[in-house]
Amino acid sequence: MSARAVSRANVASARAPPSRRRRDVGPARVVVASASASAEEMKILKEATTKLRECAKRGAASTAVDVLVGLGRDGVTPDAFAATACISACVNGKNMELAQKVYDEIFEKGVCDPDEVAVAELAKGYLNADPPGWGRAMQLVNGAKDKYAITLTSVTYNMLLQCCSATNDLMRAEEIVDRMVDEEVIADMFTLRAVEKRRSIRAYAKKQLLL
């Protein structure tokens, strides 16, 4: 799906190809709910999130966006879990334009704040490109700290190191490990697993992170 299929004002225009769109349904508006959502709203959100996670497994980007937009039509505010699942569906479906659009519509426009998983998921999508989109990925990672005050953990750094390992990028891996040390990020079992296939990267990570 091209970027032109996505409205600048709302994710809703990307929910299906033009021939399948219902003309009687206008742009969906995300309604910001009160702090105390009703039990019915919570039920709708939970069911939608389950559907979105299934879409993520299949890489069903358009279907996921349709589900997310449906929440707005029902007057239910998407939360970070629902939005992240939708982004995952777009990433797994290799539709980064749509993934970025969802991120912008939900997080950048203040519907709700992203969490670390949302940031890491979108960044991972850029790094899955050939060649990896390090510029966009690090813009997201740095923005998570600077704009949203998200404390980055091994969740993000393991993902970055995994990309370095996949492309045998020792210099960048060293920079990331050094940043983990500076920020006192606690490595975990997945950190070593992320770099296990590259001896040089693994050796540096083990030395600096005391793995």
Side-chain angles (χ1 to χ4, degrees):
M1 186 176 295
S2 67
R4 296 181 62 185
V6 184
S7 165
R8 293 181 61 187
N10 203 290
V11 178
S13 63
R15 39 188 307 266
S19 61
R20 294 172 54 195
R21 290 181 193 155
R22 291 178 54 191
R23 296 186 178 182
D24 60 327
V25 178
R29 298 177 60 188
V30 178
V31 180
V32 180
S34 63
S36 55
S38 69
E40 181 61 24
E41 290 172 339
M42 294 301 294
K43 179 182 177 182
I44 292 172
L45 180 59
K46 182 178 179 180
E47 291 174 349
T49 303
T50 298
K51 292 178 182 178
L52 287 165
R53 287 171 177 162
E54 288 298 320
C55 289
K57 293 177 182 178
R58 306 194 311 270
S62 295
T63 302
V65 171
D66 187 55
V67 173
L68 192 69
V69 170
L71 287 173
R73 288 198 302 268
D74 291 337
V76 178
T77 305
D79 61 8
F81 295 107
T84 300
C86 187
I87 291 170
S88 295
C90 296
V91 168
N92 294 341
K94 303 186 185 305
N95 192 332
M96 288 306 300
E97 290 177 307
L98 194 52
Q100 183 66 60
K101 187 63 180 179
V102 172
Y103 188 94
D104 292 344
E105 289 290 333
I106 301 300
F107 299 131
E108 294 293 334
K109 293 189 176 181
V111 176
C112 66
D113 288 336
D115 57 16
E116 183 185 14
V117 176
V119 174
E121 189 66 25
L122 185 58
K124 180 181 72 175
Y126 285 115
L127 294 180
N128 284 341
D130 185 18
W134 279 102
R136 296 296 297 272
M138 294 311 298
Q139 183 180 19
L140 283 164
V141 170
N142 293 332
K145 293 187 61 180
D146 300 338
K147 185 172 184 178
Y148 297 106
I150 296 173
T151 299
L152 301 178
T153 69
S154 60
V155 169
T156 296
Y157 288 107
N158 291 349
M159 178 271 299
L160 298 176
L161 286 172
Q162 187 171 26
C163 181
C164 292
S165 180
T167 56
N168 200 19
D169 191 341
L170 175 59
M171 183 178 297
R172 198 183 301 271
E174 289 179 347
E175 293 175 356
I176 292 169
V177 169
D178 290 345
R179 180 166 167 173
M180 291 177 71
V181 174
D182 293 342
E183 296 179 5
E184 300 182 344
V185 175
I186 299 175
D188 56 27
M189 60 181 290
F190 299 105
T191 306
L192 191 57
R193 186 177 300 176
V195 299
E196 63 183 356
K197 295 182 179 180
R198 302 292 182 181
R199 182 188 303 176
S200 56
I201 297 177
R202 183 177 70 247
Y204 190 81
K206 290 179 70 174
K207 178 182 179 181
Q208 298 300 319
L209 299 174
L210 304 178
L211 293 172

